[in-house]
Amino acid sequence: MSSLIDVKNLTLKFKTDEGLITAVNNVSFSLKKGEVMGLVGESGSGKSVTAKALMHLNARNAVYTPESKITLHTEAGEVDVLSLTKPSEMQVVRGGAISMIFQEPMASFAPAITIGKQMVEQLQLHGNMSKAKAKEISVEMLDRVGISDAHKRFDQYAFELSGGMRQRAMIAMALSTKPKLLIADEPTTALDVTIQAQVIDLMKDLVNEFHMGIIFITHDLGVVAQTADKVSVMYLGELIEEGPVREVIRTPAHPYTQGLLSALPKLDDLDSPLTPVPGDIPSPLERPSGCVFHTRCSKIVGDACKTTLPQAYQLDESHSAACHIYPKGESA
Amino acid sequence: MSNDVLIRAEGLSVGFQIGKGLFNKQILKAVDNVTVEIEKGSFFGLVGESGSGKTTLGRAFLKAVPITGGHARYEDGEVSYDLAEIAGPELKDYRKRAQLIFQDPYAALSPRMTVRDIIAEPLEVMGLTSSRAETDERVREIAAKCRLNLEHLRRFPHAFSGGQRQRISIARALVSDPKFVVADESVAALDVSIQADVLNLLKELQRDLGLTFMFISHDLSVVAHTCDHVAVMYLGRLVETAPTRTLFEGAKHPYTKALFSAIPSLDPDDRGTAQKLEGEIPSPTNQPSGCKFHTRCPYAVDRCKSEEPVLEHADAAGHEVACHRWRELMVPA
């Protein structure tokens, strides 16, 4: 499989009144066609900001370091995403080759414009097609994501649909331009479990059908286990562990990932008490020195944790973790 | 009525009038004919999808929405009130005894008040203390129980993380020394690593202060780990209720079973084996006839479409289920 997007040394800071805040620090990963990557982390971990960087969608006060590089591979050649400046150039990453599904579908649709009109508008923008053709594709897509009466729904407003329907419509809209990469930012968090299960099934079907790459951002490790091929775990802007989904969930290597998994209430074991990760996530204004997790870590190995940022250690070919409990320098 | 029941609801209904005008009046029944007992000192879980009426039932027990039918008897050993009719000084007294912890700790705390003032406000409003020194004493006491220190009390909410804010909300709810606390999705807005911490704190406080909790949540695994007894709601009706362990080991209602199987498994190799529920919860203004669940139930027969099932005892230990077919459905499983 060929590479779809490569992120190299992405470092992103925000200019604020309190000074520069590091939101993402030196994050690298790549995604192949047809691959589903789960991006996991708590609020403030930088997962959404990373995803928005892929579409060059962060606010104007975002500063990227010169080493940061995001390369998107399209049929027309490579696109250096961060070097795009004009809105017209950015269309390729905004709705063209990359689409995004947001957490709250009600906030993502314009409330006073029908669903259909919004779908047609973006198709005409990206596809250079007639209105009739765009409508045909839109209705087809609504039907494909399991919306009954697609013709009727096409002329309805977002508020007339239920939560699950809205999220389906959002997915239909994101996929109608046939993107190569779909970024789904907590797409099921606002939904009930029964509807979440339906949406997860739908997304799995769509990956098989359209063969696109998906970056699935979530804080729910259960959702990741059900959808992703590989997982990246972020904490305070650092990528602290990545690997195939089975390995990360069954044998987590970083103390934070281990803590997250043991904090989860499990249904097959009601007797064991819940073990929280101690303490609170530090504010990005007070980023800890050394390993950013050391303030909450139960496995501190020495002063190195407080002074030096650990480098990623390769546990095997595809599984790595950035923690001082692993030997420095040489990788296994 | 036995002595260890704190709240007993009988045929409790809450209806809202929607639509204005003489001919357009329509009643939306958010809670319909619910009969349930909450034992003293228990951690009572209430689960269901959005639109199932779980929040409304919680609010009815707090007398925060008007009760339009049936009765709810509150009895804590000191007082005994019928919540359907309570008013005036009795209602004022009940406000001290029943409290609510909100879902979103970012929206529930005034950004212009210090943490001390936030926690002290209920005491001042209800006139529970006679001097500032006494108020301070009470605030410090409850804050310590919620693991907030003196230095925290001087600060404003913006300086706190989600978990700390939720601890402030809990302290505020408990400062008036209530007997009954409704926690409405109180950990839903928190990160997983923090959620466990707040749940443990709630359990600890419940034990130490002898509280009765009604824990409303859509997250079944959280409910499984915290509650003693669970009730499942669907479209304003109670469809199944049982002690937690019984329910999680042997759910009988098809809806409860479907809810369980919809929880995403942590096992990456266990994909897509779940029994999936089709469709969505119907609108409460346009409810199905008969069993409210028949439109989505894989086992529905003609009887389900015309006749509404009532809650019946499935065993002697408090497992109740409202389904026409639960007996036959148990056999294959």
mmCIF file of all heavy atoms in Angstrom, chain A residues 116-117 119-121 123-124 129-142 150-152 154-155:
data_model
loop_
_atom_site.group_PDB
_atom_site.id
_atom_site.type_symbol
_atom_site.label_atom_id
_atom_site.label_comp_id
_atom_site.label_asym_id
_atom_site.label_seq_id
_atom_site.Cartn_x
_atom_site.Cartn_y
_atom_site.Cartn_z
ATOM 1 N N GLY A 116 -29.649 19.615 1.696
ATOM 2 C CA GLY A 116 -29.375 19.399 0.279
ATOM 3 C C GLY A 116 -28.596 20.545 -0.342
ATOM 4 O O GLY A 116 -27.623 20.330 -1.057
ATOM 5 N N LYS A 117 -29.003 21.761 -0.029
ATOM 6 C CA LYS A 117 -28.340 22.925 -0.608
ATOM 7 C C LYS A 117 -26.866 22.961 -0.194
ATOM 8 O O LYS A 117 -25.989 23.298 -0.994
ATOM 9 C CB LYS A 117 -29.061 24.192 -0.155
ATOM 10 C CG LYS A 117 -28.845 25.333 -1.112
ATOM 11 C CD LYS A 117 -29.766 26.494 -0.847
ATOM 12 C CE LYS A 117 -29.377 27.626 -1.786
ATOM 13 N NZ LYS A 117 -29.955 28.886 -1.405
ATOM 14 N N MET A 119 -25.021 20.386 0.601
ATOM 15 C CA MET A 119 -24.287 19.320 -0.075
ATOM 16 C C MET A 119 -23.981 19.690 -1.513
ATOM 17 O O MET A 119 -22.884 19.471 -2.013
ATOM 18 C CB MET A 119 -25.098 18.023 -0.009
ATOM 19 C CG MET A 119 -25.204 17.454 1.394
ATOM 20 S SD MET A 119 -26.020 15.858 1.433
ATOM 21 C CE MET A 119 -24.740 14.781 0.809
ATOM 22 N N VAL A 120 -24.986 20.267 -2.181
ATOM 23 C CA VAL A 120 -24.812 20.645 -3.590
ATOM 24 C C VAL A 120 -23.742 21.725 -3.720
ATOM 25 O O VAL A 120 -22.881 21.673 -4.602
ATOM 26 C CB VAL A 120 -26.160 21.128 -4.172
ATOM 27 C CG1 VAL A 120 -25.944 21.840 -5.496
ATOM 28 C CG2 VAL A 120 -27.107 19.944 -4.344
ATOM 29 N N GLU A 121 -23.777 22.672 -2.806
ATOM 30 C CA GLU A 121 -22.824 23.781 -2.843
ATOM 31 C C GLU A 121 -21.388 23.284 -2.837
ATOM 32 O O GLU A 121 -20.567 23.684 -3.657
ATOM 33 C CB GLU A 121 -23.073 24.698 -1.649
ATOM 34 C CG GLU A 121 -22.201 25.934 -1.669
ATOM 35 C CD GLU A 121 -22.282 26.726 -0.373
ATOM 36 O OE1 GLU A 121 -22.777 26.182 0.632
ATOM 37 O OE2 GLU A 121 -21.844 27.884 -0.379
ATOM 38 N N LEU A 123 -20.286 20.273 -3.534
ATOM 39 C CA LEU A 123 -19.982 19.446 -4.696
ATOM 40 C C LEU A 123 -19.655 20.324 -5.903
ATOM 41 O O LEU A 123 -18.737 20.038 -6.670
ATOM 42 C CB LEU A 123 -21.164 18.540 -5.034
ATOM 43 C CG LEU A 123 -21.206 17.209 -4.276
ATOM 44 C CD1 LEU A 123 -22.499 16.491 -4.581
ATOM 45 C CD2 LEU A 123 -20.012 16.354 -4.644
ATOM 46 N N GLN A 124 -20.410 21.422 -6.050
ATOM 47 C CA GLN A 124 -20.164 22.316 -7.186
ATOM 48 C C GLN A 124 -18.821 23.016 -7.029
ATOM 49 O O GLN A 124 -18.102 23.225 -7.997
ATOM 50 C CB GLN A 124 -21.293 23.332 -7.295
ATOM 51 C CG GLN A 124 -22.567 22.699 -7.808
ATOM 52 C CD GLN A 124 -23.612 23.735 -8.169
ATOM 53 O OE1 GLN A 124 -24.095 24.465 -7.309
ATOM 54 N NE2 GLN A 124 -23.952 23.815 -9.434
ATOM 55 N N MET A 129 -19.482 20.679 -11.353
ATOM 56 C CA MET A 129 -20.544 19.932 -12.016
ATOM 57 C C MET A 129 -21.847 20.710 -12.007
ATOM 58 O O MET A 129 -21.977 21.722 -11.319
ATOM 59 C CB MET A 129 -20.739 18.586 -11.322
ATOM 60 C CG MET A 129 -21.079 18.695 -9.849
ATOM 61 S SD MET A 129 -21.308 17.101 -9.091
ATOM 62 C CE MET A 129 -19.642 16.503 -8.907
ATOM 63 N N SER A 130 -22.826 20.223 -12.771
ATOM 64 C CA SER A 130 -24.125 20.898 -12.838
ATOM 65 C C SER A 130 -24.903 20.666 -11.549
ATOM 66 O O SER A 130 -24.634 19.724 -10.815
ATOM 67 C CB SER A 130 -24.926 20.368 -14.020
ATOM 68 O OG SER A 130 -25.382 19.068 -13.712
ATOM 69 N N LYS A 131 -25.875 21.527 -11.313
ATOM 70 C CA LYS A 131 -26.662 21.439 -10.104
ATOM 71 C C LYS A 131 -27.432 20.114 -10.052
ATOM 72 O O LYS A 131 -27.521 19.463 -9.006
ATOM 73 C CB LYS A 131 -27.657 22.605 -10.065
ATOM 74 C CG LYS A 131 -27.883 23.119 -8.666
ATOM 75 C CD LYS A 131 -28.654 24.431 -8.731
ATOM 76 C CE LYS A 131 -28.867 24.962 -7.328
ATOM 77 N NZ LYS A 131 -29.505 26.271 -7.327
ATOM 78 N N ALA A 132 -27.979 19.728 -11.203
ATOM 79 C CA ALA A 132 -28.775 18.498 -11.251
ATOM 80 C C ALA A 132 -27.911 17.293 -10.910
ATOM 81 O O ALA A 132 -28.301 16.409 -10.154
ATOM 82 C CB ALA A 132 -29.406 18.337 -12.630
ATOM 83 N N LYS A 133 -26.700 17.283 -11.457
ATOM 84 C CA LYS A 133 -25.782 16.166 -11.221
ATOM 85 C C LYS A 133 -25.396 16.127 -9.733
ATOM 86 O O LYS A 133 -25.353 15.056 -9.117
ATOM 87 C CB LYS A 133 -24.535 16.366 -12.099
ATOM 88 C CG LYS A 133 -23.448 15.337 -11.881
ATOM 89 C CD LYS A 133 -23.748 14.051 -12.629
ATOM 90 C CE LYS A 133 -22.660 13.016 -12.330
ATOM 91 N NZ LYS A 133 -23.188 11.651 -12.376
ATOM 92 N N ALA A 134 -25.136 17.325 -9.182
ATOM 93 C CA ALA A 134 -24.746 17.405 -7.775
ATOM 94 C C ALA A 134 -25.866 16.907 -6.879
ATOM 95 O O ALA A 134 -25.623 16.211 -5.894
ATOM 96 C CB ALA A 134 -24.379 18.845 -7.418
ATOM 97 N N LYS A 135 -27.110 17.224 -7.259
ATOM 98 C CA LYS A 135 -28.237 16.772 -6.456
ATOM 99 C C LYS A 135 -28.342 15.249 -6.517
ATOM 100 O O LYS A 135 -28.567 14.584 -5.505
ATOM 101 C CB LYS A 135 -29.537 17.421 -6.951
ATOM 102 C CG LYS A 135 -30.732 16.914 -6.155
ATOM 103 C CD LYS A 135 -32.013 17.654 -6.434
ATOM 104 C CE LYS A 135 -33.118 16.987 -5.599
ATOM 105 N NZ LYS A 135 -34.401 17.627 -5.674
ATOM 106 N N GLU A 136 -28.141 14.732 -7.720
ATOM 107 C CA GLU A 136 -28.227 13.285 -7.904
ATOM 108 C C GLU A 136 -27.211 12.578 -7.002
ATOM 109 O O GLU A 136 -27.535 11.632 -6.287
ATOM 110 C CB GLU A 136 -27.955 12.977 -9.375
ATOM 111 C CG GLU A 136 -28.317 11.574 -9.796
ATOM 112 C CD GLU A 136 -27.743 11.270 -11.168
ATOM 113 O OE1 GLU A 136 -27.953 12.076 -12.099
ATOM 114 O OE2 GLU A 136 -27.049 10.240 -11.288
ATOM 115 N N ILE A 137 -25.978 13.075 -7.016
ATOM 116 C CA ILE A 137 -24.923 12.465 -6.199
ATOM 117 C C ILE A 137 -25.258 12.590 -4.708
ATOM 118 O O ILE A 137 -25.097 11.645 -3.947
ATOM 119 C CB ILE A 137 -23.565 13.133 -6.488
ATOM 120 C CG1 ILE A 137 -23.127 12.799 -7.915
ATOM 121 C CG2 ILE A 137 -22.505 12.679 -5.487
ATOM 122 C CD1 ILE A 137 -21.841 13.462 -8.339
ATOM 123 N N SER A 138 -25.779 13.764 -4.320
ATOM 124 C CA SER A 138 -26.089 13.996 -2.911
ATOM 125 C C SER A 138 -27.155 13.026 -2.419
ATOM 126 O O SER A 138 -27.011 12.412 -1.365
ATOM 127 C CB SER A 138 -26.578 15.424 -2.691
ATOM 128 O OG SER A 138 -25.617 16.337 -3.137
ATOM 129 N N VAL A 139 -28.231 12.887 -3.177
ATOM 130 C CA VAL A 139 -29.320 12.007 -2.765
ATOM 131 C C VAL A 139 -28.827 10.562 -2.692
ATOM 132 O O VAL A 139 -29.126 9.828 -1.754
ATOM 133 C CB VAL A 139 -30.520 12.136 -3.723
ATOM 134 C CG1 VAL A 139 -31.570 11.088 -3.407
ATOM 135 C CG2 VAL A 139 -31.118 13.529 -3.632
ATOM 136 N N GLU A 140 -28.016 10.199 -3.662
ATOM 137 C CA GLU A 140 -27.440 8.858 -3.696
ATOM 138 C C GLU A 140 -26.614 8.591 -2.429
ATOM 139 O O GLU A 140 -26.695 7.544 -1.806
ATOM 140 C CB GLU A 140 -26.516 8.781 -4.917
ATOM 141 C CG GLU A 140 -26.499 7.457 -5.635
ATOM 142 C CD GLU A 140 -25.612 7.603 -6.862
ATOM 143 O OE1 GLU A 140 -24.386 7.394 -6.735
ATOM 144 O OE2 GLU A 140 -26.135 7.958 -7.925
ATOM 145 N N MET A 141 -25.835 9.605 -2.071
ATOM 146 C CA MET A 141 -24.955 9.480 -0.904
ATOM 147 C C MET A 141 -25.766 9.399 0.391
ATOM 148 O O MET A 141 -25.456 8.603 1.277
ATOM 149 C CB MET A 141 -24.041 10.712 -0.874
ATOM 150 C CG MET A 141 -22.704 10.475 -0.237
ATOM 151 S SD MET A 141 -21.753 9.211 -1.059
ATOM 152 C CE MET A 141 -21.150 8.381 0.391
ATOM 153 N N LEU A 142 -26.826 10.228 0.489
ATOM 154 C CA LEU A 142 -27.691 10.184 1.675
ATOM 155 C C LEU A 142 -28.298 8.793 1.808
ATOM 156 O O LEU A 142 -28.401 8.235 2.896
ATOM 157 C CB LEU A 142 -28.800 11.236 1.569
ATOM 158 C CG LEU A 142 -28.397 12.685 1.814
ATOM 159 C CD1 LEU A 142 -29.564 13.625 1.509
ATOM 160 C CD2 LEU A 142 -27.940 12.891 3.249
ATOM 161 N N ALA A 150 -34.423 9.648 1.276
ATOM 162 C CA ALA A 150 -33.339 10.595 0.992
ATOM 163 C C ALA A 150 -33.832 11.829 0.227
ATOM 164 O O ALA A 150 -33.365 12.937 0.477
ATOM 165 C CB ALA A 150 -32.227 9.889 0.227
ATOM 166 N N HIS A 151 -34.809 11.626 -0.663
ATOM 167 C CA HIS A 151 -35.312 12.769 -1.440
ATOM 168 C C HIS A 151 -35.964 13.811 -0.542
ATOM 169 O O HIS A 151 -35.798 15.004 -0.736
ATOM 170 C CB HIS A 151 -36.338 12.292 -2.484
ATOM 171 C CG HIS A 151 -35.683 11.935 -3.775
ATOM 172 N ND1 HIS A 151 -35.249 12.882 -4.665
ATOM 173 C CD2 HIS A 151 -35.354 10.732 -4.305
ATOM 174 C CE1 HIS A 151 -34.684 12.289 -5.699
ATOM 175 N NE2 HIS A 151 -34.731 10.966 -5.506
ATOM 176 N N LYS A 152 -36.683 13.314 0.460
ATOM 177 C CA LYS A 152 -37.374 14.213 1.387
ATOM 178 C C LYS A 152 -36.352 14.910 2.298
ATOM 179 O O LYS A 152 -36.408 16.112 2.523
ATOM 180 C CB LYS A 152 -38.371 13.391 2.207
ATOM 181 C CG LYS A 152 -39.419 14.214 2.908
ATOM 182 C CD LYS A 152 -40.376 13.293 3.681
ATOM 183 C CE LYS A 152 -40.525 13.776 5.097
ATOM 184 N NZ LYS A 152 -40.921 12.704 6.014
ATOM 185 N N PHE A 154 -33.338 15.571 1.731
ATOM 186 C CA PHE A 154 -32.533 16.509 0.965
ATOM 187 C C PHE A 154 -33.050 17.940 1.130
ATOM 188 O O PHE A 154 -32.275 18.888 1.184
ATOM 189 C CB PHE A 154 -32.580 16.092 -0.513
ATOM 190 C CG PHE A 154 -31.727 16.927 -1.420
ATOM 191 C CD1 PHE A 154 -30.381 16.642 -1.572
ATOM 192 C CD2 PHE A 154 -32.271 17.985 -2.136
ATOM 193 C CE1 PHE A 154 -29.591 17.402 -2.414
ATOM 194 C CE2 PHE A 154 -31.484 18.755 -2.973
ATOM 195 C CZ PHE A 154 -30.142 18.459 -3.111
ATOM 196 N N ASP A 155 -34.364 18.088 1.242
ATOM 197 C CA ASP A 155 -34.951 19.426 1.355
ATOM 198 C C ASP A 155 -35.230 19.839 2.796
ATOM 199 O O ASP A 155 -35.900 20.832 3.034
ATOM 200 C CB ASP A 155 -36.264 19.483 0.554
ATOM 201 C CG ASP A 155 -35.982 19.424 -0.935
ATOM 202 O OD1 ASP A 155 -34.996 20.075 -1.362
ATOM 203 O OD2 ASP A 155 -36.686 18.703 -1.659
#
